[in-house]
Amino acid sequence: MALPVVAIIGRPNVGKSTLVNRLCRSRDAIVHDQPGVTRDRTYQEGYWADRTFKVVDTGGLVFNDDSEFLPEIREQAKLAMAEAAVAVVIVDGQQGLTAADESIAEWLRHQNCPVLLAVNKCESPDQGLAMAADFWTLGLGEPYPVSAIHGAGTGELLDKVISFLPASQELEGLEEPIQLAIIGRPNVGKSSILNSICGENRAIVSPIRGTTRDTIDTSIEREGKTWKLLDTAGIRRRRSVSYGPEFFGINRSFKAIERSDVCVLVIDAEEGVTEQDQRLAGRIEEDGRACVVAVNKWDLISKDSHTLPAMEKELRSKLYFLEWAPMLFISALTGQRVERIFPLAALAVEQHRRRVSTSVVNEVLKEALSWRTPPTTRGGRQGKVYYGTQVAVRPPSFTLFVNDPKLFGDTYRRYVERQIREGLGFEGSPLRLFWRGKQQRDAERDQSRAAER
């Protein structure tokens, strides 16, 4: 059962994202002293007393201006109101009542959602009530003085918020959602893919680079599973990024990779693989995430019967970090093959979590050694593989016990990894191979005995 939603509404720079972080006890919402930092709907989970709920942060509402992104921000706020059990409208107590606040109050009266009024920046308990009193004229009920920075008054506000929420949900036993992060450079179509999947304008789409700043969480059901989709900010080269909202958004994107179960790396079919795409591929492999490569804008490519295999070969030659990842050619604009992301992602997650018995691992190793024996040095020393075992999942990790790891060069190590993949699968998941020699085992045994004494 979905959690009830609490929508946070208000004009720019009144402290909405700061209050969201306070209510959810996090730092996930980007806070910066600049209007228009938040644009899309972003969700976090909060709890108070015996209630758990989702808090949706929205962009600053402006009704007398249709310049860059403002109409789209209003549409996102309207969608947030449509799904909310209660909305909290934030105003600035230090600045006082403004015409923009009155416009928002008028707009809210036409929305079918209960509304609470929070007067932010009331750090002084003595002056807070006096500052809040000015906002009775908005006709939105009792104004609650709060300080999003210091937390003053937020408890009283939350007491009122949960009175609008249904009784506590029974959440034990529910399967954890699969975290799927949509990763890529700016303007490769990440938000368009999210919108195509959701069947609505879940994220603002624009040809302007850097439109998405926050990581946008969306929960959906596919393949009999619950997925949490993480649409991330486009990641540019570090030297191209100045300190500010984009910097924070990119950091959120890297954190999304770290907390994801599977990444969808989006590549622009027209531009091909760039240096930055390669860096992102390396980051996904380095963090040990499962992955699906989605080549977007396939509808813009002139094609014949040889185009797809030729392009896949070219792309894979440059994305050598992810040679194990399935590749899908899609169009977010037309919806072509977008839904096929989920069966591929589900398989990648399954392989990422799969464990294989030691006996099966050693059967594969025995076969690999019979086809190609370990190298021999000029001095006549030959590498020997005694046995192997899987030691971890997410990603699948194997320890190979050998006579001396130095006798196994990179070429032979890659060969063994390829043989493990061919014999055991693990499509869509990176592998980790650890080579342990006799001296390492003896040293560990001596340390263990010393500790026992």
Side-chain angles (χ1 to χ4, degrees):
M1 186 179 295
L3 293 175
V5 173
V6 178
I8 306 298
I9 304 291
R11 59 184 175 83
N13 268 30
V14 293
K16 296 185 297 300
S17 296
T18 305
L19 183 64
V20 168
N21 286 343
R22 171 66 62 179
L23 298 183
C24 298
R25 307 178 192 188
S26 76
R27 295 182 178 178
D28 287 350
I30 296 176
V31 176
H32 193 68
D33 188 18
Q34 174 184 323
V37 170
T38 302
R39 292 170 176 172
D40 300 283
R41 286 172 285 154
T42 62
Y43 292 78
Q44 295 188 53
E45 192 168 297
Y47 62 91
W48 185 252
D50 64 341
R51 309 295 172 89
T52 303
F53 49 89
K54 280 189 176 181
V55 180
V56 54
D57 189 14
T58 61
L61 286 172
V62 178
F63 287 97
N64 59 353
D65 190 348
D66 285 337
S67 57
E68 185 178 285
F69 298 122
L70 292 178
E72 291 85 354
I73 288 172
R74 291 197 293 269
E75 181 63 25
Q76 292 294 309
K78 187 175 181 180
L79 291 169
M81 292 289 291
E83 65 178 343
V86 61
V88 179
V89 58
I90 314 298
V91 293
D92 187 330
Q94 293 184 0
Q95 191 171 353
L97 183 63
T98 68
D101 295 325
E102 292 175 340
S103 297
I104 292 172
E106 179 61 28
W107 178 77
L108 288 170
R109 279 189 277 272
H110 293 88
Q111 308 304 312
N112 187 25
C113 180
V115 174
L116 296 175
L117 176 60
V119 184
N120 192 25
K121 305 182 184 179
C122 294
E123 279 72 30
S124 169
D126 297 330
Q127 299 179 16
L129 289 173
M131 294 165 67
D134 292 341
F135 293 90
W136 278 100
T137 57
L138 288 177
L140 298 177
E142 179 183 356
Y144 291 85
V146 301
S147 170
I149 291 179
H150 298 105
T154 54
E156 291 81 357
L157 177 63
L158 282 168
D159 285 339
K160 189 64 177 177
V161 164
I162 64 173
S163 70
F164 290 91
L165 305 183
S168 184
Q169 318 292 323
E170 182 58 50
L171 297 176
E172 283 101 3
L174 292 182
E175 186 179 345
E176 282 290 314
I178 298 172
Q179 309 260 4
L180 185 151
I182 305 174
I183 305 297
R185 295 181 292 109
N187 271 32
V188 293
K190 299 182 298 298
S191 295
S192 297
I193 291 172
L194 178 66
N195 290 344
S196 178
I197 291 169
C198 296
E200 65 169 15
N201 291 330
R202 177 63 189 83
I204 296 173
V205 175
S206 167
I208 300 172
R209 290 179 180 268
T211 298
T212 301
R213 287 171 168 173
D214 287 282
T215 296
I216 303 171
D217 290 15
T218 305
S219 295
I220 63 167
E221 300 284 335
R222 290 291 192 282
E223 298 292 309
K225 303 177 185 296
T226 302
W227 301 75
K228 181 179 282 189
L229 308 184
L230 313 175
D231 180 24
T232 62
I235 302 173
R236 296 195 291 162
R237 285 175 289 189
R238 187 178 296 273
R239 64 173 177 266
S240 303
V241 179
S242 59
Y243 185 82
E246 185 181 7
F247 172 84
F248 294 119
I250 289 173
N251 280 345
R252 297 285 196 277
S253 298
F254 287 140
K255 288 182 180 179
I257 295 175
E258 292 172 7
R259 68 186 172 104
S260 68
D261 295 300
V262 57
C263 294
V264 174
L265 176 62
V266 184
I267 304 295
D268 188 317
E270 290 189 301
E271 297 181 13
V273 175
T274 67
E275 183 182 351
Q276 189 63 4
D277 293 322
Q278 292 177 320
R279 288 197 180 97
L280 291 174
R283 182 68 177 248
I284 292 168
E285 197 280 334
E286 181 183 323
D287 286 347
R289 301 300 93 190
C291 184
V292 174
V293 178
V295 184
N296 192 28
K297 307 182 184 180
W298 188 237
D299 56 306
L300 302 181
I301 302 297
S302 300
K303 296 177 279 291
D304 58 31
S305 59
H306 305 290
T307 305
L308 192 148
M311 179 169 283
E312 180 170 358
K313 183 178 179 181
E314 179 185 352
L315 296 176
R316 286 197 179 280
S317 69
K318 295 178 180 178
L319 287 177
Y320 48 87
F321 294 106
L322 303 178
E323 60 182 0
W324 40 265
M327 184 174 289
L328 187 64
F329 291 80
I330 68 171
S331 168
L333 185 64
T334 67
Q336 182 184 21
R337 300 193 192 95
V338 171
E339 285 294 329
R340 288 181 59 186
I341 289 173
F342 290 99
L344 291 176
L347 176 61
V349 170
E350 178 187 327
Q351 297 300 303
H352 194 241
R353 299 174 178 178
R354 185 160 70 97
R355 188 177 289 276
V356 179
S357 68
T358 298
S359 61
V360 172
V361 172
N362 285 285
E363 285 178 14
V364 173
L365 284 176
K366 183 179 179 180
E367 182 76 10
L369 294 170
S370 67
W371 281 101
R372 184 173 173 181
T373 58
T376 303
T377 65
R378 291 181 179 178
R381 292 190 67 201
Q382 185 178 27
K384 294 182 179 179
V385 180
Y386 299 121
Y387 72 97
T389 185
Q390 185 175 355
V391 294
V393 295
R394 304 189 187 193
S397 303
F398 300 84
T399 295
L400 306 184
F401 296 92
V402 300
N403 57 341
D404 186 352
K406 295 178 182 177
L407 297 175
F408 297 85
D410 290 341
T411 301
Y412 195 80
R413 293 187 182 206
R414 285 193 296 269
Y415 163 74
V416 171
E417 181 176 338
R418 284 197 305 272
Q419 293 301 111
I420 289 176
R421 283 196 179 278
E422 289 179 12
L424 300 177
F426 295 108
E427 182 182 9
S429 174
L431 299 182
R432 297 283 185 265
L433 266 61
F434 304 105
W435 299 72
R436 289 183 58 198
K438 185 175 184 300
Q439 291 181 346
Q440 291 173 290
R441 298 200 304 277
D442 291 344
E444 290 175 5
R445 183 187 60 203
D446 293 342
Q447 288 176 358
S448 177
R449 288 176 177 175
E452 289 175 358
R453 295 194 193 103

